[in-house]
Amino acid sequence: ARLAVLASGRGSNLRALAAAFPPGDPLGSVVLVLSNRRDAPVLALARDLGIEARFIPFGADRARFEREATAQLTAAGIDLVLLAGFMRVLSPAFTARYAGRLVNIHPSLLPRFPGLHAQRQALEAGARESGCTVHFVDAGVDTGPVILQRRVPVLPDDTEERLAARILAQEHRAYPEAVRRVLLGEARFEAPQNQEATP
Ligand code: GRF
């Protein structure tokens, strides 16, 4: 399978995914990285790793970003799109088009603490435990079907940075394992069931 990563920042999850799915791997290879930030470290990292990397401006025009991203993903023959620190919300049209082929990682045990600053939210809520979640993306923010989670303790003297680092170490194990399950057909996106009785 041909894998693409969409990312906005540092790229440590890209590094983990690229190591798990190198060129020529029979299960899958990361072959394309797209970023909405021209200066994102993840673009330089991708190029260092020998992976095709492109900047696509997002700005105020989400539709234009999504048209361009779709064109690039299609041209590259991408089977699975992996969001890894991609800091923009995609439209329902885009998430529907890629349903079951679009995956995200989030630094909390969803459904707890969706959205921004999940590690800070966990500390402020006094959670004793947190972790990370890999999930299929649906039209909501951090709401789609869970593929897998990894848990970490929250320690009494934790700072946001220390908790984030502890979670990140688990993200780097969770993301490749979740992708493996998707590629092996062990995790599938189930469309929401219609709860209405059918006549
Ligand atoms: C990770 O904590 C991810 O869960 C969150 O953004 C961070 C991205 O880190 N959504 P990196 O760019 O992969 O290093």
Side-chain angles (χ1 to χ4, degrees):
R2 293 172 65 77
L3 313 177
V5 171
L6 266 63
S8 305
R10 175 178 53 186
S12 71
N13 278 288
L14 168 66
R15 189 184 286 283
L17 288 163
F21 300 102
D25 188 288
L27 196 53
S29 310
V30 178
V31 298
L32 179 65
V33 172
L34 302 178
S35 181
N36 62 307
R37 275 188 47 209
R38 192 193 301 276
D39 60 350
V42 70
L43 286 177
L45 172 63
R47 293 183 183 117
D48 282 352
L49 295 171
I51 301 169
E52 168 103 52
R54 303 256 174 80
F55 159 64
I56 305 177
F58 196 109
D61 195 347
R62 179 166 76 179
R64 185 164 159 231
F65 173 90
E66 291 182 345
R67 263 200 312 280
E68 181 61 23
T70 301
Q72 303 260 354
L73 295 167
T74 304
I78 297 301
D79 303 296
L80 193 59
V81 180
L82 307 171
L83 307 182
F86 184 70
M87 300 306 285
R88 290 286 181 274
V89 175
L90 295 162
S91 73
F94 188 91
T95 60
R97 177 183 191 122
Y98 284 95
R101 299 182 292 148
L102 183 60
V103 174
N104 182 43
I105 188 158
H106 182 76
S108 76
L109 298 174
L110 293 172
R112 295 201 82 189
F113 316 127
L116 292 175
H117 308 298
Q119 303 93 336
R120 190 189 305 167
Q121 291 184 57
L123 286 178
E124 285 172 355
R128 306 277 300 274
E129 185 179 56
S130 193
C132 63
T133 303
V134 185
H135 65 95
F136 287 111
V137 177
D138 66 8
V141 174
D142 302 325
T143 54
V146 171
I147 301 165
L148 72 82
Q149 298 185 309
R150 292 188 72 92
R151 318 177 91 81
V152 304
V154 179
L155 302 179
D157 56 348
D158 263 349
T159 59
E160 192 180 337
E161 290 67 31
R162 291 180 48 170
L163 178 58
R166 193 176 308 120
I167 293 172
L168 193 66
Q170 297 308 313
E171 293 185 40
H172 298 158
R173 299 172 62 180
Y175 214 163
E177 177 57 27
V179 170
R180 197 168 291 120
R181 288 192 198 172
V182 173
L183 295 176
L184 291 172
E186 295 170 8
R188 244 168 284 136
F189 182 90
E190 307 290 349
Q193 297 294 308
N194 185 353
Q195 299 299 314
E196 308 283 313
T198 43

